[in-house]
Amino acid sequence: NAGVTQTPKFQVLKTGQSMTLQCAQDMNHNSMYWYRQDPGMGLRLIYYSASEGTTDKGEVPNGYNVSRLNKREFSLRLESAAPSQTSVYFCASSESGRTASGNTIYFGEGSWLTVV
Amino acid sequence: SQKIEQNSEALNIQEGKTATLTCNYTNYSPAYLQWYRQDPGRGPVFLLLIRENEKEKRKERLKVTFDTTLKQSLFHITASQPADSATYLCALPTSGGSYIPTFGRGTSLIVHP
């Protein structure tokens, strides 16, 4: 049972380069998320997709774009990488995004991105 | 604005003792609160959810309390073991209709043998 799978695990980029982080989940979840985690800042939501066909900005969307390719896949793109985007990126999914009764988030293993 | 506070200082305890971690929040009236565990180099893993109408919830050696008056949750690990060493995050649903969890910065727990 793979859960949430994200690639690549590690990446070094030069300033100005572009790249796409890939994410797929096999739990038939409706909602998917991209977070970044920085020392002292905790997890911050970049973008989310409450359901297939929709995407919304989170707390820190600047410099990123996302694509919900289908129900399983949600990619994060850095169009022109900057050193401030050096971080650990986590893809996550949940059964339903907008629910007041509980929303357990399942995380991938993380992608370590360094922009030099 | 909404704010979640967890002690940024690591909690060091001896094996066998009870660890107690705190999550305080302001400007919230969350319908539930969650606790996650994160090991170094790994993604967070869900542990427990407690709803606003529940005062306490238990799962094996874990106990969570939720005081909506104090706006505080306490997370207890009884008979702690070195394997419990990790960072523990609390999360609350964002207000305004999205209900997407917002995470605290986490508290590191170190259990010494």
Side-chain angles (χ1 to χ4, degrees):
Chain A
N1 188 358
V4 179
T5 304
Q6 53 181 112
T7 58
K9 182 82 170 180
F10 301 98
Q11 184 72 48
V12 178
L13 284 178
K14 293 182 179 178
T15 297
Q17 285 186 320
S18 62
M19 77 157 298
T20 300
L21 298 175
Q22 307 285 354
C23 176
Q25 52 91 8
D26 63 1
M27 295 174 281
N28 200 36
H29 284 168
N30 290 304
S31 302
M32 297 186 73
Y33 314 84
W34 277 105
Y35 288 89
R36 61 178 288 176
Q37 188 173 38
D38 303 289
M41 297 299 293
L43 282 162
R44 292 183 292 171
L45 184 66
I46 304 171
Y47 270 93
Y48 67 97
S49 171
S51 60
E52 186 178 357
T54 69
T55 60
D56 288 287
K57 294 178 181 179
E59 181 184 356
V60 288
N62 292 343
Y64 305 95
N65 284 302
V66 291
S67 295
R68 184 74 184 264
L69 304 171
N70 48 53
K71 191 171 184 179
R72 291 186 64 249
E73 297 172 289
F74 188 40
S75 63
L76 178 72
R77 182 161 179 85
L78 287 69
E79 291 291 351
S80 179
S84 61
Q85 294 178 303
T86 293
S87 187
V88 183
Y89 291 86
F90 288 100
C91 179
S93 70
S94 67
E95 189 171 324
S96 178
R98 298 195 175 101
T99 171
S101 62
N103 188 21
T104 299
I105 309 292
Y106 296 84
F107 287 86
E109 290 297 292
S111 296
W112 273 253
L113 177 65
T114 301
V115 183
V116 297
Chain B
S1 62
Q2 301 160 341
K3 194 173 181 181
I4 303 171
E5 293 180 344
Q6 293 187 259
N7 195 340
S8 59
E9 289 186 18
L11 177 64
N12 287 272
I13 64 168
Q14 287 299 124
E15 182 175 8
K17 300 295 185 183
T18 295
T20 299
L21 305 175
T22 304
C23 176
N24 295 300
Y25 58 93
T26 58
N27 300 321
Y28 260 111
S29 293
Y32 60 87
L33 185 147
Q34 299 172 323
W35 284 90
Y36 290 75
R37 168 182 172 145
Q38 186 174 22
D39 292 288
R42 309 293 296 273
V45 175
F46 171 77
L47 294 175
L48 280 169
L49 179 150
I50 185 166
R51 303 190 194 286
E52 61 180 339
N53 60 348
E54 298 174 315
K55 295 297 183 185
E56 180 181 300
K57 200 153 191 182
R58 293 174 183 262
K59 179 183 176 182
E60 298 173 351
R61 294 184 296 111
L62 308 180
K63 184 179 85 170
V64 173
T65 62
F66 193 11
D67 190 324
T68 56
T69 300
L70 291 178
K71 294 188 181 297
Q72 181 182 79
S73 175
L74 299 178
F75 177 82
H76 307 272
I77 305 176
T78 59
S80 60
Q81 305 165 0
D84 295 325
S85 298
T87 297
Y88 292 86
L89 311 170
C90 68
L92 296 90
T94 306
S95 66
S98 75
Y99 299 113
I100 295 171
T102 298
F103 288 82
R105 298 180 183 183
T107 298
S108 175
L109 172 66
I110 303 168
V111 182
H112 299 276

